[in-house]
Amino acid sequence: MGTPEFAVETLQALVEHQYNVVAVVTQPDKPVGRHGSVLQPSAVKQYALERGLPVLQPEKMKDPAFVETLRSYQANLQVVVAFRMLPEVVWAMPEYGTFNVHAALLPQYRGAAPINWAIINGETKTGVTTFFLDHDIDTGRIILQKPFDIPDTADVEYVYDGLMHLGAEICLETIEAIIASDGHPASMSQDDSSLFPLPSSLKLAPKIFKETCEINWQQSAKQVYDFIRGLSPIPGAWTTLVASDNKETVLKIYKSSKSEVKKPSAAPGTIVVESKSLFVACLDGELLQLEEIQLAGKKRMQARDFLNGNQAIKKMK
């Protein structure tokens, strides 16, 4: 069960290691195009059809017809990767249960966007976790975990690719453990305070919306730097660019770098141009250098190229 490219890697690993994948469950085709007249199948569906695997695309997971069809495949085990919350009638169906491959070291970063939030929060390590599904989201018993280092320069694309491959590896190891134990592999409760942080110290990973992606310049340069790379390349951090005539334009920032230059007197959001480079002042007086940006309605470009035609700018709002 999965939808995006991230889940394809795991499905491919299952197929190539000759596991008997009896069916694939994914989201309904998504309308795309100007008028939504074209239906785009998910990455998982595309791969499944190429391999001749049956594909189920329920609108609602509790739909009786879907549940009965799923039951007819008599699966021993269900694997979930980047999908949706399942009702008990679905996750409890197989004799060996249902496990999820989650892109974080649970119980930290439960939620829909664990990769983004780990980078935004400046983490130096994340990883993947397999756990059995239960009633609450991302809270089931942990089966296995694998760590993954986050370099200080890494963006979402880098970590996504790394965890995608690591997720396929841990999935295979988890299935081997489940088979070897006849469905009862060693597992750990996320409520075990001797192994995991107290609830008060847990960091969550809620779904990201457009409003979430607006940059707050009233932060340190390091915080803004992590925020930008934690949303790059998709969906992209954004700010409002104010020109000298006070005209406002949305500006996406895909890449920035920390600078040794400081301007303690500059208000957060103030634009500084030095040596044909574009900087923005942050709360701690440090300047953040912008490298790759995109004006609304324009193509992504280098900040230097942007400066060549846009000198009349004064601040970020």
Side-chain angles (χ1 to χ4, degrees):
M1 299 183 179
T3 297
E5 178 192 13
F6 191 93
V8 174
E9 189 76 14
T10 298
L11 175 57
Q12 182 175 336
L14 293 173
V15 171
E16 293 181 352
H17 282 77
Q18 300 184 332
Y19 283 103
N20 183 22
V21 181
V22 294
V24 171
V25 183
T26 190
Q27 296 277 42
D29 293 358
K30 185 178 180 180
V32 295
R34 179 175 294 182
H35 304 292
S37 56
V38 178
L39 293 178
Q40 177 70 40
S42 71
V44 163
K45 179 181 178 179
Q46 293 179 55
Y47 177 83
L49 293 180
E50 290 171 3
R51 294 292 175 153
L53 300 173
V55 177
L56 305 179
Q57 296 177 276
E59 290 282 352
K60 296 181 179 180
M61 299 302 292
K62 290 184 179 180
D63 178 71
F66 161 69
V67 171
E68 286 310 305
T69 301
L70 185 64
R71 197 185 306 278
S72 72
Y73 285 102
Q74 299 181 314
N76 301 101
L77 177 68
Q78 291 174 160
V79 181
V80 180
V81 187
F83 192 45
R84 58 203 281 193
M85 192 169 181
L86 304 182
E88 183 174 3
V89 68
V90 172
W91 58 255
M93 187 181 296
E95 61 174 311
Y96 289 166
T98 300
F99 75 84
N100 182 281
V101 178
H102 187 74
L105 296 175
L106 291 173
Q108 296 289 13
Y109 296 106
R110 294 170 177 162
I115 298 176
N116 301 92
W117 286 108
I119 300 173
I120 288 171
N121 289 335
E123 303 287 0
T124 58
K125 189 179 293 293
T126 184
V128 288
T129 301
T130 53
F131 67 95
F132 283 116
L133 266 65
D134 64 10
H135 293 93
D136 298 315
I137 189 166
D138 299 339
T139 60
R141 294 186 64 85
I142 291 174
I143 308 167
L144 293 175
Q145 292 189 316
K146 281 181 174 288
F148 182 84
D149 291 332
I150 305 177
D152 185 55
T153 56
D155 60 10
V156 171
E157 188 171 39
Y158 174 90
V159 180
Y160 182 99
D161 288 346
L163 296 186
M164 181 172 66
H165 296 295
L166 201 60
E169 289 179 20
I170 200 172
C171 175
L172 296 177
E173 291 181 19
T174 300
I175 291 178
E176 290 170 7
I178 289 173
I179 293 174
S181 63
D182 195 27
H184 300 284
S187 59
M188 302 173 289
S189 169
Q190 294 188 44
D191 294 328
D192 189 338
S193 59
S194 66
L195 297 173
F196 302 114
L198 295 172
S200 59
S201 61
L202 293 181
K203 299 173 184 176
L204 300 179
K207 187 175 181 180
I208 289 175
F209 299 94
K210 180 182 178 181
E211 297 75 20
T212 314
C213 303
E214 183 177 10
I215 298 170
N216 174 16
W217 297 103
Q218 298 285 339
Q219 299 182 95
S220 70
K222 175 65 165 64
Q223 287 175 304
V224 178
Y225 169 77
D226 290 338
F227 187 80
I228 290 169
R229 66 192 182 99
L231 295 168
S232 180
I234 295 173
W238 62 273
T239 187
T240 301
L241 181 68
V242 182
S244 55
D245 60 0
N246 290 323
K247 183 178 179 181
E248 298 184 356
T249 309
V250 171
L251 180 76
K252 279 194 174 184
I253 303 175
Y254 293 99
K255 187 176 181 181
S256 65
S257 59
K258 291 172 285 186
S259 169
E260 295 182 359
V261 181
K262 293 188 177 183
K263 291 279 185 179
S265 61
T270 300
I271 291 173
V272 178
V273 178
E274 287 189 3
S275 303
K276 296 184 179 180
S277 295
L278 180 61
F279 300 87
V280 183
C282 297
L283 184 61
D284 54 3
E286 293 190 8
L287 297 183
L288 189 69
Q289 183 173 353
L290 307 189
E291 296 187 5
E292 293 182 24
I293 60 179
Q294 182 179 21
L295 274 173
K298 303 292 184 180
K299 292 183 178 180
R300 183 170 168 174
M301 68 178 73
Q302 296 294 315
R304 286 176 178 266
D305 297 331
F306 167 78
L307 279 176
N308 288 335
N310 295 275
Q311 294 292 335
I313 49 180
K314 63 179 184 180
K315 67 177 181 178
M316 303 292 184
K317 183 178 176 182

